[in-house]
């Protein structure tokens, strides 16, 4: 049986891999498609959002780096979700790089219970890993519905 650190990092990597799988084999138009009529979500928007969330929690919060959003909000909409002019390859590269940087930040902490002070709160590595699993799991549910609407592919 794995310890907590191995379990949490493995579950997070599984969620990351699930998002990648949901996008696999689709072309740029399909990745940018708003496939559910009542939603503006796209698979590419979810990938870009995942990269922003990775960067925010691991680098901005845990590593205390001063960063600006890669895609600033436009008229109250998170910029990462605005994908009509987005470069698909660049978006996936940035997401994968964000995941690698997140792993490096995770590795720099000795314990899951190590903390940082952030905006008056105490945030632990354990909290961030758990939150990221939840974040991906929620959005992977969205990705599952989007993928099914695009080409009827289902699973995981």
């Amino acid at each position: 049986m794995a310890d907590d650190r191995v379990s949490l990092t493995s579950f997070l990597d599984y969620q990351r891999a699930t998002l990648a799988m949901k996008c696999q084999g689709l072309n740029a138009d399909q990745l940018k498609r708003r496939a559910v009529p009542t939603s503006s979500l796209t698979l590419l928007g979810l990938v870009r959002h995942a990269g922003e969330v990775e960067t925010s929690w691991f680098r901005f919060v845990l590593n205390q780096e001063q960063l600006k959003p890669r895609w600033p909000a436009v008229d109250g909409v998170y910029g990462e979700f605005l994908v009509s002019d987005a470069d698909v390859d660049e978006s996936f590269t940035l997401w994968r790089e964000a995941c690698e940087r997140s792993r490096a930040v995770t590795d720099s902490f000795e314990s899951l219970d190590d903390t940082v002070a952030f905006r008056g709160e105490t945030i632990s590595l354990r909290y961030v890993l758990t939150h990221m699993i939840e974040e991906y799991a929620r959005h992977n549910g969205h990705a599952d519905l989007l993928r099914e609407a695009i080409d009827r592919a289902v699973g995981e």
Side-chain angles (χ1 to χ4, degrees):
M1 184 160 81
D3 67 13
D4 284 353
R5 187 181 192 119
V6 171
S7 293
L8 289 172
T9 57
S10 295
F11 278 121
L12 180 51
D13 278 337
Y14 176 80
Q15 294 295 329
R16 289 168 174 148
T18 299
L19 180 57
M21 181 195 67
K22 288 295 168 188
C23 298
Q24 189 173 13
L26 297 178
N27 64 37
D29 288 338
Q30 291 169 313
L31 290 166
K32 294 178 183 183
R33 184 179 302 162
R34 293 178 174 183
V36 175
T38 57
S39 174
S40 62
L41 288 178
T42 66
L43 287 169
L44 188 60
L46 292 176
V47 167
R48 288 163 46 117
H49 178 66
E52 284 292 286
V53 173
E54 293 266 0
T55 298
S56 176
W57 280 102
F58 288 96
R59 293 181 60 202
F60 185 64
V61 174
L62 288 178
N63 219 33
Q64 309 274 299
E65 295 178 44
Q66 296 304 309
L67 303 167
K68 294 181 181 176
R70 187 176 312 278
W71 300 288
V74 176
D75 296 328
V77 177
Y78 289 117
E80 62 262 33
F81 291 115
L82 304 173
V83 299
S84 61
D85 296 328
D87 181 296
V88 171
D89 291 333
E90 175 190 49
S91 297
F92 274 89
T93 297
L94 292 171
W95 171 56
R96 288 184 188 106
E97 288 172 353
C99 292
E100 285 304 313
R101 287 186 184 121
S102 296
R103 289 182 189 99
V105 170
T106 298
D107 290 346
S108 74
F109 280 72
E110 189 172 315
S111 166
L112 289 174
D113 298 316
D114 287 350
T115 62
V116 298
F118 183 76
R119 296 183 179 165
E121 295 189 45
T122 302
I123 309 287
S124 70
L125 175 61
R126 180 185 306 275
Y127 173 84
V128 170
L129 290 171
T130 303
H131 173 71
M132 289 300 297
I133 292 165
E134 179 272 332
E135 179 83 14
Y136 271 98
R138 179 170 15 97
H139 289 312
N140 282 338
H142 299 140
D144 200 35
L145 291 171
L146 291 168
R147 181 64 190 252
E148 184 176 5
I150 291 167
D151 69 355
R152 301 208 183 281
V154 295
E156 286 308 307

